[in-house]
Amino acid sequence: MLNPGEFRRQISIELNAAYGDGLLSEQTLAHRLDLVLSSRLLDPERLIGDLSLRASRRSLRNTVERGVDSLRDTFTRRRQQSRISPPLVLALDWDHDDGQLLVGRDPDACDVVLEHPTVSRTHAQLHHRDGAWVLQDLDSTNGTTINGKRVARCRLEPGDRVMLGRQAVVVD
């Protein structure tokens, strides 16, 4: 089991390392860290996915090696993207009870909006009680699975992989 906030911590570490390597400006670092710390739904590919594609300002040999590695990563990533997109990270607050979130495709009704067409307009409800988050599927068309098992209602743990329709979300 992972600690709450572990995915956000890892993203922050990568952003700080990229800033230290001169790959991000201070303003870009501040903007991305603000997104990591304040957003409920994170797209890691958008926050740190471009960092491996940037060349470091080091020796020519290092630059060439990184360029080759970046090309290899780009081709690998494109092949994998045709099969499955990387999961989003759902950043939950584990410290405050009586929280409630509606998850779905409808931006007017939902607290967490997922744009994937297999997600129902109002797909699932999240309730926070007694230090735990519970997910309840709202009779969605394409269903909900947690760690590969179809569920109607289930307690969530940090690190759980939730599939809402065909949209993957990792709980943080």
Side-chain angles (χ1 to χ4, degrees):
M1 183 169 99
L2 298 175
N3 292 324
E6 186 64 26
F7 288 100
R8 286 173 281 185
R9 189 177 77 76
Q10 289 297 324
I11 291 171
S12 298
I13 288 169
E14 286 196 43
L15 289 171
N16 282 313
Y19 174 71
D21 286 344
L23 299 176
L24 294 176
S25 69
E26 187 174 346
Q27 184 178 8
T28 301
L29 172 68
H31 173 71
R32 290 185 184 190
L33 284 175
D34 185 49
L35 290 173
V36 169
L37 299 174
S38 64
S39 298
R40 173 127 9 242
L41 192 63
L42 305 175
D43 183 353
E45 191 67 24
R46 205 174 121 233
L47 289 168
I48 58 175
D50 64 329
L51 298 178
S52 65
L53 300 177
R54 296 182 182 196
S56 177
R57 296 180 194 126
R58 305 227 173 124
S59 70
L60 179 60
R61 180 179 178 190
N62 193 6
T63 300
V64 171
E65 287 174 358
R66 284 182 179 225
V68 171
D69 289 343
S70 291
L71 283 173
R72 187 179 309 117
D73 290 346
T74 300
F75 289 122
T76 302
R77 208 177 281 141
R78 284 185 183 158
R79 262 187 276 139
Q80 291 172 344
Q81 283 177 349
S82 64
R83 286 182 248 145
I84 188 166
S85 58
L88 301 174
V89 176
L90 180 61
L92 297 174
D93 182 359
W94 296 84
D95 296 327
H96 298 92
D97 279 346
D98 299 327
Q100 185 170 304
L101 298 170
L102 186 60
V103 181
R105 221 178 53 242
D106 185 351
D108 295 326
C110 296
D111 303 300
V112 178
V113 178
L114 301 170
E115 297 177 2
H116 199 280
T118 61
V119 174
S120 294
R121 285 183 304 232
T122 55
H123 196 101
Q125 183 83 41
L126 295 169
H127 302 275
H128 189 260
R129 302 281 187 273
D130 301 322
W133 282 96
V134 176
L135 179 142
Q136 180 174 352
D137 185 89
L138 299 175
D139 295 323
S140 61
T141 303
N142 294 304
T144 302
T145 63
I146 297 179
N147 300 324
K149 295 180 183 175
R150 186 139 184 163
V151 297
R153 183 178 173 91
C154 186
R155 180 184 172 136
L156 297 175
E157 299 290 337
D160 281 347
R161 184 180 177 95
V162 179
M163 293 292 290
L164 299 155
R166 292 179 58 199
Q167 173 65 64
V169 177
V170 178
V171 176
D172 187 33

